[in-house]
Amino acid sequence: MSTVGKTALSENTLFGMGNPLLDISAVVDKDFLDKFGLKLNDQILADNNHKALFEEIVKRNKVEYHAGGSTQNSVKIAQWMIQEPHKVATFFGCIGTDNFGEILKKKAEEAHVDAHYYEQNEEPTGTCAACITGDNRSLVANLAAANCYKKEKHLDLDSNWELVKKAKVYYIAGFFLTVSPESILKVAKHASDNNKIFCMNLSAPFISQFFKEPLMKVMPYVDILFGNETEAATFAKELGFETDDIAEIAKKTQNLPKENTKRQRLVVFTQGKDDTVATVGEKVTMFPVLDIDQNDIVDTNGAGDAFVGGFLSALVQEQALEECIRAGHYSANVIIRRVGCTFPEKPDFQ
């Protein structure tokens, strides 16, 4: 395996852990959103009021099923961008012993991700209803099995922890804070103690609002923090930053307390079609995204995950920040032209 000008990669260099979900994706109208009290571009956890939503969405005429879950999407995209060797990306999460679980296993294998699921039979495999309206998407996650991940039953097992130790870059979406903050802390501390790179994502406004305590417990170990403009604004509000200027928010976030002082925290905020904002040393830099015709956008579900996946693929190859962002912009641009977080056979990225 020769890789020109890039660090040669070995298996399990990138580690991801999160909520493996099967996306149930359908085009809906405003009435459907209103009926279930959904916002145009939001991510929420399902409660009892959403039971009927899941029953109704599967009856839509053009419903599609895709492997999803934010972290799983990102590590898949990273592996797709890398192509070879296979299994550079590892993924941990919890599924049910059912048909949806089998689909997720098969899809992970097809994507050449080294997935090690904790399988239990008390809860069914988690699903996420992706309600698509034009170029907006509203996501409702029914975590089910994904919520049953247990540190002592899976992460702590020697064979699994060995895989964690093999990695150099770690990525966990903020969504997993609702499931197993103790698992996140164990991985984050390992990364920090060994001067490896631990990345996290703000993931959704509700994480900063309702899971601020576990989020802030992990923050000192976060080397790279991702988020979009809405999540950044909510985070700033929850932390009393008293600014809605995104560059200022990035700077203040960068300066939050940090355990491993050998690495300065890097903060990267995407803003849809507007420039991506990143802290570069002491300053904040704007990186324009790739132009795309509005008519070419099929759905934005997975765009943020894809950005992170592209970014991580360059990061594990020890590329410069500009390159990581360029790779992220490329993969996000590919994903928004397709339904769900799906991709063509090979990337066309030079």
Side-chain angles (χ1 to χ4, degrees):
M1 242 338 279
S2 74
T3 49
V4 186
K6 291 183 177 173
T7 312
L9 289 168
S10 45
E11 287 187 0
N12 309 111
T13 305
L14 172 65
F15 175 83
M17 176 167 64
N19 300 331
L21 305 173
L22 190 75
D23 282 352
I24 305 169
S25 167
V27 174
V28 300
D29 50 24
K30 184 87 173 62
D31 292 345
F32 183 90
L33 296 184
D34 293 343
K35 179 175 174 183
F36 295 106
L38 305 180
K39 294 182 195 149
L40 272 180
N41 242 350
D42 203 10
Q43 309 92 307
I44 61 166
L45 293 177
D47 57 35
N48 288 334
N49 307 331
H50 299 108
K51 285 261 192 314
L53 181 151
F54 283 88
E55 288 161 15
E56 213 172 294
I57 199 163
V58 296
K59 295 185 186 131
R60 296 264 150 169
N61 48 7
K62 284 211 302 212
V63 63
E64 300 200 20
Y65 294 86
H66 296 286
S70 184
T71 306
Q72 186 169 242
N73 283 343
S74 293
V75 298
K76 259 184 203 167
I77 297 272
Q79 181 64 54
W80 171 72
M81 287 284 283
I82 290 162
Q83 288 287 307
E84 288 187 339
H86 292 164
K87 297 191 173 179
V88 168
T90 316
F91 179 76
F92 287 6
C94 183
I95 58 174
T97 47
D98 50 25
N99 181 33
F100 282 179
E102 288 307 311
I103 293 174
L104 287 185
K105 282 201 252 184
K106 191 168 138 286
K107 294 288 184 192
E109 206 175 308
E110 284 169 8
H112 307 299
V113 167
D114 194 14
H116 294 256
Y117 295 113
Y118 169 48
E119 296 179 49
Q120 51 72 60
N121 54 18
E122 280 168 34
E123 285 281 344
T125 297
T127 50
C128 178
C131 311
I132 314 292
T133 49
D135 55 7
N136 286 305
R137 51 82 186 128
S138 197
L139 307 178
V140 183
N142 181 24
L143 297 183
N147 206 22
C148 301
Y149 189 84
K150 298 276 183 290
K151 175 177 167 287
E152 59 286 355
K153 294 258 177 77
H154 195 263
L155 185 68
D156 292 345
L157 303 184
D158 289 344
S159 57
N160 290 333
W161 188 248
E162 281 307 311
L163 289 170
V164 175
K165 292 199 312 206
K166 272 176 85 174
K168 293 188 177 130
V169 175
Y170 300 84
Y171 174 66
I172 301 177
F175 288 125
F176 202 58
L177 286 163
T178 76
V179 175
S180 185
E182 56 285 357
S183 296
I184 301 177
L185 274 171
K186 183 175 182 180
V187 172
K189 283 178 178 165
H190 167 80
S192 183
D193 292 346
N194 294 279
N195 196 28
K196 301 198 239 179
I197 303 174
F198 182 79
C199 313
M200 207 158 175
N201 203 314
L202 292 175
S203 290
F206 81 82
I207 298 292
S208 295
Q209 289 167 315
F210 307 114
F211 295 88
K212 179 170 134 188
E213 196 185 335
L215 173 64
M216 294 320 287
K217 265 202 184 123
V218 181
M219 198 57 74
Y221 304 99
V222 177
D223 295 300
I224 304 179
L225 182 70
F226 297 101
N228 68 21
E229 73 280 37
T230 325
E231 294 148 11
T234 306
F235 180 70
K237 204 166 123 201
E238 289 298 322
L239 264 73
F241 284 173
E242 297 186 345
T243 177
D244 44 20
D245 176 270
I246 191 134
E248 192 61 23
I249 294 171
K251 195 84 209 103
K252 289 194 171 202
T253 305
Q254 180 186 36
N255 292 327
L256 291 169
K258 192 166 188 306
E259 276 295 315
N260 175 11
T261 49
K262 294 192 199 98
R263 293 181 187 277
Q264 186 178 31
R265 182 181 292 118
L266 174 65
V267 180
V268 184
F269 291 146
T270 56
Q271 312 188 77
K273 61 184 185 315
D274 296 326
D275 294 2
T276 294
V277 179
T279 56
V280 180
E282 296 313 307
K283 43 185 208 302
V284 176
T285 311
M286 303 289 188
F287 297 87
V289 302
L290 294 164
D291 280 335
I292 185 166
D293 186 327
Q294 228 27 44
N295 300 323
D296 291 335
I297 299 178
V298 174
D299 90 54
T300 55
N301 184 20
D305 298 338
F307 172 81
V308 171
F311 188 105
L312 295 172
S313 72
L315 184 68
V316 294
Q317 296 177 83
E318 297 172 18
Q319 302 279 302
L321 173 69
E322 293 69 37
E323 268 309 286
C324 295
I325 289 179
R326 196 169 74 83
H329 285 166
Y330 167 79
S331 39
N333 186 275
V334 170
I335 263 61
I336 56 181
R337 299 167 188 271
R338 306 168 65 91
V339 173
C341 198
T342 61
F343 36 85
E345 196 193 338
K346 282 194 159 73
D348 174 25
F349 178 72
Q350 266 82 41

